[in-house]
Amino acid sequence: MSMANNPGCLRRGAGCLLGGALLLLAAVNVRGAETRLFSFTTSKGLAVKVLQDNDLPFVHAELLVYLDGNTQNYPSLAITQLALLDMFAPALNSPPSNLMGMLQRQGGDFAVEQNPEFVRIRLNFLPDRLGAFSRLLREIFTYQSFHLGKFNLSKEKFWTLYKRGRDWRKEIAVMLAYQQLTGNFFFTRGFMLREVVNGINMAQLRSFMLRTFRPDNALLVIKGRLNPYLVLGMIEKDLPPPGPRQAQPRREPVQVNPGRKVFILNVDTSDPPMVYWFDVAPPAAADAFLPYAIGNFSLFGFPGGRIYHSQRNRFAMEGYKVDTEAIRLKDFTLFCNSVRLNYGDIEDFLLLVEQERRKFAVRPVERKEYLDALNYYVGHALVATGRPDSDLQPVIDGFHGQVAHQETPRIGPELFQEVSHGQVLQAIDEQMGAKHRNNGRERGIVVLVGDADQILNSLKSLKTEALELSLD
Amino acid sequence: MIKTRLFLLLFLASLITLSAQTPAVSTFELPNGLKVILAPSSGVQAAAVCVYHMRGARQEPADARGIAYLYQYLMFDGNQNLEPFDHVLFINKMGGVVSGRVNYDNAVFYDLLPAQEINVALWLESERLKSLRLNDANIDAQKNQVISRIGRFLESNPAYRAQTWVSAKVFEGSAYEVPLYGDLNRLRVLSNDRVRDYYQHFQNLGNVLLIISGRFDISELRAGINRFFQDIPPGRRAAAPAFSAQNPRRAHVVKNWLLPGLKKHFVVYGIKAPARIGYNFVYFDFLRTYLTDPRLSRLETILNAVNKLDVEIESFFSDYMEANCLLIQVSSPRRFNLEKAKYIIDKEFQALASNPIGNNDMKAVRSLMELDFLKGMTSLEDRCLRIGEFYHMFNDLNFFDDQLKRLRRIVPYDVMESAKKYLAKPNQVILNVYGE
């Protein structure tokens, strides 16, 4: 009997085929050795990058809302902060807002940080909350639920709320460095004074939200076991149409003024002081960025850098290493090297850094230093693959640098392996070496955070500008 | 019929999907008794090498408390072939991370590094087990550092002093009563020979788990482990850890301290919580997340958002295996606000013991706990730690699905029962600290 004449046999065959297809689908579904990148722009203007990673058991999302032109003066800084407190501070959530309710139902695992150029909202949630996530996005982009009681309280308790649950000292140091470098205004003693905060009204917050929290002024990067087209469809369905664009303050091209300044941020603490050393580097998507990072490592790196080698015992540097963070902005990168030292060691440390930087002019980065730094960064990037957010930053950098779309994002190890010794020499020469020295002043912004009296007593030859905050 | 088959096939497919999320954990044992646990992870190019000692400060002799704590630092202080801090420098140089801590129940040291360098970590860890540098000079140096650091901290930080006192009261009569660093005066005169004797706990392979997670080739890894660990002398496996959950205390203690010059008044609540080995731990953990996790904190909502008291809330959880303590510290420069906060906290505890938590809150806390669990299983070093702890407590390596199921099954009634038992007044130690 032929198979065609036997319906049972046909059904069995179809069942087997279907089963095989399902198993194959499951197997394909879990292959997941590689992360794939899908880029879209929704009809409402939101740039969406979906990183499909079938090994990640939860979803990690980052929403960047750009603040172009909104952190250029004290009131606009305060407006941004007050708006973020109103939206995201749990201590102000009475009466409860719809946004906070949605965030909590999403699992509540979110963090909001602000740098001079954008607000970054990070959120982790379980895959079954994907539908609710697109509604959450809608809520963020249409948020206008400012409440007078909350608003007044946020002004009254501004510094208490600002300091809660964040490394606010570092944030202020970054803000100081950025504003000094971009040279938009000079610092006075009025950094977010109470009068500035008190002078803000709710209409300004509403206007800020309408101007800034718009789909066409934001980037969403989302990673997980996701179907990118489903994600796009959900977002497309739920996003509000962007309102008419208000007149934006014209964004002046950033003029970086990297001249040396030393600030003291006076804080009441029993901890030893922190030294932050900021330098300007090329933007993260530029070719010169990685060579600069390698050069910076050969100066500050732990344990390979020159400072470590020359004075490891003097500053007990096994215990107190210099940490380096690259704060990636659109127009440039801010390298933040920080170390905790004893009060008596601050001036010696600063002079040593200066001395070692000068030495680059006569003794450029050697081949061994270059290889050590390369080895460190490649290893560091490989170790970072264990973190779910490790491949998001290159995608964001690519967006800022308008790099053409690639389906498989190139991550750290591959990028570092392409940097030559010659590129490092050139980058360092331009930033710290003879070229820049011939042009005039020393570079780098230094912010010393600790007890101002003790710091001033310990400084003998350095001139500082004292900055006092009203941290009430 | 075809529907049944389809269902079966779908079920099979979903099983494959689930098992792909949690790659299989395998184990083997070297002839010298070292138990090795391998937990591969796909999609990463890094590996974590973790040495988990199933012995901690609990096993210290009563008259020599603080020795194990010294080992937290001595383990980085060099050995026969390496100088102090060389271990850290080796791993840092290749972009990796080194960490370690000694606790009451266990001690854990790990290296996180690029996958292809895994043999370097195996070599460094084997060196520590073979020949730690324990001469008088480095033991004295570490003793002095611990004594001066903790002494300074106790002197300058009233909150730490208060928390230490409350914790000791909560754990009265248990192995967790004495601080990890012991008694500083006794530590000062402790003989170095006793410190050296204690090394046998760290060296005894019978009490050690070598846990490796991340990307590796199993046959190459086994060869590396054999090469570096096989010549370490065998240790005598101690009897299986006799963990027994301890019951909550039943003596309400309230004490007041008056400290001159204190800028903020504060109160420290010490709540005796169930052991990690106990069945009801997960319910208390739910309650703890609901009340104190800064991402959801119910206390933050009722004290600051609703009642606008502007108090600072901090919490610490001990996470021990036989008994636990939840410390909640509330501080304010205004005494009136602090007293009001205490009253509201009392009422909240009573409400939790008599009314079930609402559905929205249940969902939010469950999602957060599940997320944290999954995040922990994604991070290589956390995965090693969890595997070690579950093996240590339950001799169980396949806890992943079971834990998730238990989390998802928590219902309001469980939480209410937990609140009734653990948030009751007789289970609390309260220390009020006021400025003069």
Side-chain angles (χ1 to χ4, degrees):
Chain A
M1 192 165 56
S2 73
M3 207 160 59
N5 296 334
N6 185 344
C9 189
L10 260 180
R11 276 204 298 273
R12 270 199 299 277
C16 286
L17 269 177
L18 189 58
L22 274 172
L23 285 174
L24 193 68
L25 266 179
V28 169
N29 190 28
V30 299
R31 180 181 55 87
E34 204 173 70
T35 303
R36 293 178 68 200
L37 171 66
F38 298 82
S39 297
F40 309 104
T41 303
T42 67
S43 63
K44 281 93 179 185
L46 175 67
V48 181
K49 309 273 177 191
V50 181
L51 282 154
Q52 190 183 42
D53 178 354
N54 290 327
D55 291 319
L56 196 63
F58 56 91
V59 181
H60 176 82
E62 296 195 6
L63 179 69
L64 276 70
V65 180
Y66 295 95
L67 298 169
D68 293 344
N70 285 311
T71 54
Q72 307 293 318
N73 53 47
Y74 297 131
S76 57
L77 259 176
I79 290 169
T80 313
Q81 279 304 325
L82 286 168
L84 293 178
L85 285 175
D86 197 291
M87 291 169 84
F88 299 108
L92 285 176
N93 191 30
S94 177
S97 74
N98 198 23
L99 175 64
M100 282 300 281
M102 288 172 101
L103 280 165
Q104 291 194 341
R105 282 193 294 280
Q106 207 67 7
D109 191 18
F110 71 94
V112 180
E113 62 177 56
Q114 187 202 334
N115 76 24
E117 284 190 355
F118 49 80
V119 174
R120 190 176 197 143
I121 303 160
R122 297 170 199 261
L123 177 68
N124 295 309
F125 56 90
L126 296 172
D128 61 357
R129 302 291 304 173
L130 188 62
F133 174 69
S134 59
R135 291 193 292 279
L136 173 69
L137 276 182
R138 181 192 175 88
E139 186 64 26
I140 290 175
F141 285 122
T142 53
Y143 188 86
Q144 282 289 318
S145 318
F146 297 107
H147 181 273
L148 189 62
K150 267 198 224 181
F151 177 66
N152 288 337
L153 192 65
S154 68
K155 288 206 289 189
E156 192 187 324
K157 309 284 178 204
F158 183 78
W159 279 111
T160 315
L161 293 165
Y162 181 85
K163 287 191 286 181
R164 196 167 283 172
R166 69 208 293 179
D167 188 356
W168 59 273
R169 294 177 179 121
K170 185 180 165 194
E171 270 187 29
I172 291 176
V174 171
M175 211 83 87
L176 269 169
Y178 178 80
Q179 290 175 338
Q180 185 58 39
L181 288 165
T182 51
N184 289 316
F185 55 95
F186 292 105
F187 265 99
T188 63
R189 287 169 179 266
F191 184 76
M192 287 222 253
L193 274 179
R194 171 148 299 286
E195 300 88 75
V196 175
V197 175
N198 283 347
I200 310 293
N201 60 46
M202 260 175 31
Q204 286 172 295
L205 259 60
R206 290 212 167 92
S207 158
F208 164 78
M209 291 302 292
L210 286 173
R211 203 172 56 239
T212 310
F213 275 69
R214 305 164 52 92
D216 54 359
N217 183 39
L219 164 69
L220 171 70
V221 190
I222 182 165
K223 182 181 176 186
R225 183 182 278 240
L226 300 165
N227 177 338
Y229 301 101
L230 183 70
V231 172
L232 179 67
M234 282 179 163
I235 293 172
E236 194 67 79
K237 180 171 73 74
D238 284 320
L239 268 191
R245 258 204 179 278
Q246 295 186 351
Q248 281 277 17
R250 199 165 66 84
R251 189 170 186 260
E252 299 293 334
V254 173
Q255 297 289 327
V256 177
N257 164 34
R260 168 67 44 80
K261 285 261 179 171
V262 180
F263 293 98
I264 297 174
L265 187 58
N266 184 25
V267 293
D268 180 17
T269 175
S270 57
D271 294 334
M274 282 296 288
V275 176
Y276 293 96
W277 187 298
F278 295 96
D279 273 312
V280 176
D287 290 342
F289 170 71
L290 295 182
Y292 181 90
I294 290 175
N296 186 74
F297 184 88
S298 59
L299 180 64
F300 286 106
F302 174 85
R306 289 185 181 185
I307 289 167
Y308 172 77
H309 280 304
S310 63
Q311 295 293 335
R312 61 184 278 191
N313 296 325
R314 188 162 151 209
F315 298 128
M317 286 185 72
E318 280 98 346
Y320 300 108
K321 65 170 187 166
V322 179
D323 284 313
T324 297
E325 186 190 352
I327 301 162
R328 295 146 186 253
L329 306 168
K330 272 182 171 174
D331 297 302
F332 61 92
T333 303
L334 201 53
F335 264 81
C336 170
N337 296 292
S338 57
V339 63
R340 196 178 281 285
L341 292 169
N342 294 323
Y343 281 99
D345 288 335
I346 293 176
E347 183 155 296
D348 288 346
F349 179 78
L350 296 180
L351 293 174
L352 174 69
V353 174
E354 198 47 64
Q355 183 188 326
E356 290 297 333
R357 282 160 70 102
R358 283 189 187 145
K359 278 190 194 164
F360 274 127
V362 286
R363 198 186 127 215
V365 177
E366 290 166 7
R367 183 143 188 92
K368 185 185 172 303
E369 290 175 313
Y370 153 74
L371 290 173
D372 280 351
L374 200 62
N375 189 40
Y376 169 82
Y377 274 117
V378 171
H380 187 71
L382 289 170
V383 168
T385 57
R387 290 200 327 262
D389 59 351
S390 64
D391 41 11
L392 266 69
Q393 193 58 53
V395 173
I396 295 168
D397 293 340
F399 177 75
H400 290 166
Q402 294 170 339
V403 173
H405 164 73
Q406 285 170 316
E407 196 175 85
T408 309
R410 279 146 43 92
I411 57 166
E414 301 158 36
L415 295 172
F416 275 105
Q417 281 159 359
E418 290 170 6
V419 179
S420 72
H421 187 199
Q423 285 173 304
V424 175
L425 291 179
Q426 193 185 341
I428 291 302
D429 197 36
E430 277 168 12
Q431 300 294 326
M432 301 178 197
K435 269 190 193 170
H436 118 73
R437 209 160 307 286
N438 292 339
N439 292 340
R441 298 176 60 191
E442 301 293 351
R443 290 183 177 198
I445 306 294
V446 179
V447 183
L448 309 172
V449 181
D451 181 330
D453 289 338
Q454 290 198 59
I455 294 175
L456 285 167
N457 287 337
S458 72
L459 298 182
K460 293 172 190 76
S461 58
L462 285 168
K463 281 198 287 182
T464 61
E465 287 188 13
L467 174 75
E468 202 173 296
L469 297 180
S470 63
L471 305 177
D472 44 24
Chain B
M1 182 68 179
I2 197 160
K3 273 185 189 166
T4 316
R5 278 188 194 165
L6 256 176
F7 178 77
L8 277 173
L9 284 165
L10 273 172
F11 179 69
L12 200 59
S14 69
L15 275 185
I16 289 178
T17 311
L18 191 66
S19 62
Q21 278 181 357
T22 55
V25 175
S26 61
T27 63
F28 65 94
E29 200 166 312
L30 293 188
N32 58 10
L34 177 67
K35 176 120 186 157
V36 183
I37 303 176
L38 306 180
S41 302
S42 49
V44 297
Q45 298 181 58
V49 174
C50 169
V51 175
Y52 183 102
H53 301 265
M54 293 189 283
R55 286 289 179 275
R58 283 157 47 102
Q59 280 76 29
E60 290 172 332
D63 61 338
R65 300 303 296 264
I67 295 182
Y69 188 70
L70 283 180
Y71 271 88
Q72 186 164 305
Y73 303 96
L74 287 167
M75 293 293 259
F76 295 97
D77 221 8
N79 51 54
Q80 199 179 337
N81 295 318
L82 293 164
E83 290 299 309
F85 280 100
D86 275 0
H87 187 128
V88 179
L89 298 183
F90 261 107
I91 301 290
N92 263 288
K93 248 186 158 168
M94 53 181 77
V97 180
V98 176
S99 190
R101 58 139 185 81
V102 171
N103 212 332
Y104 289 93
D105 304 305
N106 53 21
V108 184
F109 297 89
Y110 72 81
D111 310 287
L112 184 62
L113 76 174
Q116 75 269 18
E117 308 286 359
I118 200 164
N119 276 349
V120 178
L122 293 176
W123 165 60
L124 291 169
E125 290 300 344
S126 69
E127 286 289 338
R128 280 211 274 226
L129 288 171
K130 278 180 204 161
S131 61
L132 206 59
R133 186 176 294 187
L134 294 171
N135 54 36
D136 284 345
N138 70 344
I139 296 176
D140 284 340
Q142 291 302 346
K143 271 201 298 199
N144 290 338
Q145 275 205 21
V146 167
I147 290 164
S148 77
R149 190 174 50 241
I150 303 275
R152 209 170 45 229
F153 207 51
L154 281 168
E155 200 174 309
S156 67
N157 193 332
Y160 181 67
R161 223 159 50 226
Q163 288 158 15
T164 309
W165 185 87
V166 172
S167 179
K169 274 280 166 216
V170 169
F171 287 127
E172 210 164 31
S174 80
Y176 306 121
E177 182 181 353
V178 181
L180 263 179
Y181 50 80
D183 179 332
L184 294 185
N185 290 326
R186 281 192 179 184
L187 194 61
R188 197 168 279 128
V189 294
L190 187 72
S191 114
N192 290 347
D193 286 334
R194 299 203 67 180
V195 178
R196 279 186 277 267
D197 289 345
Y198 199 73
Y199 184 43
Q200 59 177 308
H201 284 293
F202 282 90
Q203 206 178 19
N204 184 350
L205 293 189
N207 301 330
V208 172
L209 303 173
L210 176 65
I211 310 166
I212 297 162
S213 76
R215 183 188 185 130
F216 47 78
D217 176 281
I218 289 193
S219 57
E220 276 177 27
L221 182 61
R222 284 186 79 129
I225 292 168
N226 274 318
R227 187 172 144 212
F228 293 114
F229 289 89
Q230 69 179 0
D231 60 341
I232 301 178
R236 207 184 56 188
R237 190 177 294 281
F243 288 122
S244 60
Q246 294 169 14
N247 287 324
R249 59 176 298 119
R250 286 286 155 193
H252 184 43
V253 178
V254 181
K255 177 109 176 159
N256 298 326
W257 285 2
L258 213 54
L259 298 181
L262 194 69
K263 285 180 189 164
K264 278 183 184 171
H265 313 284
F266 62 90
V267 57
V268 182
Y269 288 82
I271 296 164
K272 188 157 186 180
R276 285 193 63 191
I277 53 159
Y279 185 78
N280 49 4
F281 176 76
V282 71
Y283 307 128
F284 184 84
D285 206 29
F286 187 99
L287 204 53
R288 176 182 72 83
T289 307
Y290 175 65
L291 281 171
T292 61
D293 190 295
R295 293 164 293 180
L296 285 177
S297 177
R298 171 75 182 155
L299 289 183
E300 181 78 48
T301 307
I302 53 167
L303 297 179
N304 289 330
V306 177
N307 286 289
K308 311 209 179 338
L309 294 179
D310 194 23
V311 291
E312 265 177 50
I313 307 157
E314 288 175 272
S315 71
F316 311 90
F317 190 60
S318 54
D319 223 10
Y320 302 149
M321 291 179 181
E322 283 197 339
N324 272 305
C325 170
L326 171 64
L327 289 175
I328 300 172
Q329 182 181 310
V330 183
S331 45
S332 170
R334 292 183 194 155
R335 174 93 182 258
F336 176 77
N337 285 14
L338 187 66
E339 295 305 322
K340 198 168 170 191
K342 282 159 61 180
Y343 175 78
I344 294 167
I345 290 173
D346 265 0
K347 292 284 165 213
E348 179 65 18
F349 284 1
Q350 285 169 22
L352 282 169
S354 49
N355 301 308
I357 291 181
N359 258 345
N360 280 345
D361 287 337
M362 280 301 294
K363 275 186 202 161
V365 181
R366 240 187 333 235
S367 296
L368 184 59
M369 289 177 78
E370 194 175 329
L371 260 174
D372 282 349
F373 179 74
L374 292 172
K375 276 160 71 181
M377 295 305 286
T378 315
S379 140
L380 298 179
E381 65 274 28
D382 286 355
R383 187 157 176 235
C384 284
L385 180 63
R386 276 170 202 239
I387 288 172
E389 284 177 342
F390 272 84
Y391 182 82
H392 190 186
M393 287 188 288
F394 307 115
N395 217 2
D396 176 14
L397 288 173
N398 298 310
F399 59 91
F400 182 87
D401 294 338
D402 190 44
Q403 280 297 304
L404 268 186
K405 269 184 216 157
R406 288 201 62 199
L407 270 180
R408 287 170 183 162
R409 275 191 204 142
I410 299 173
V411 293
Y413 176 78
D414 300 326
V415 184
M416 197 171 78
E417 284 301 301
S418 189
K420 214 179 274 180
K421 186 168 178 186
Y422 293 104
L423 298 184
K425 270 257 182 297
N427 197 35
Q428 295 173 9
V429 173
I430 299 174
L431 175 62
N432 299 300
V433 184
Y434 302 121
E436 269 183 326

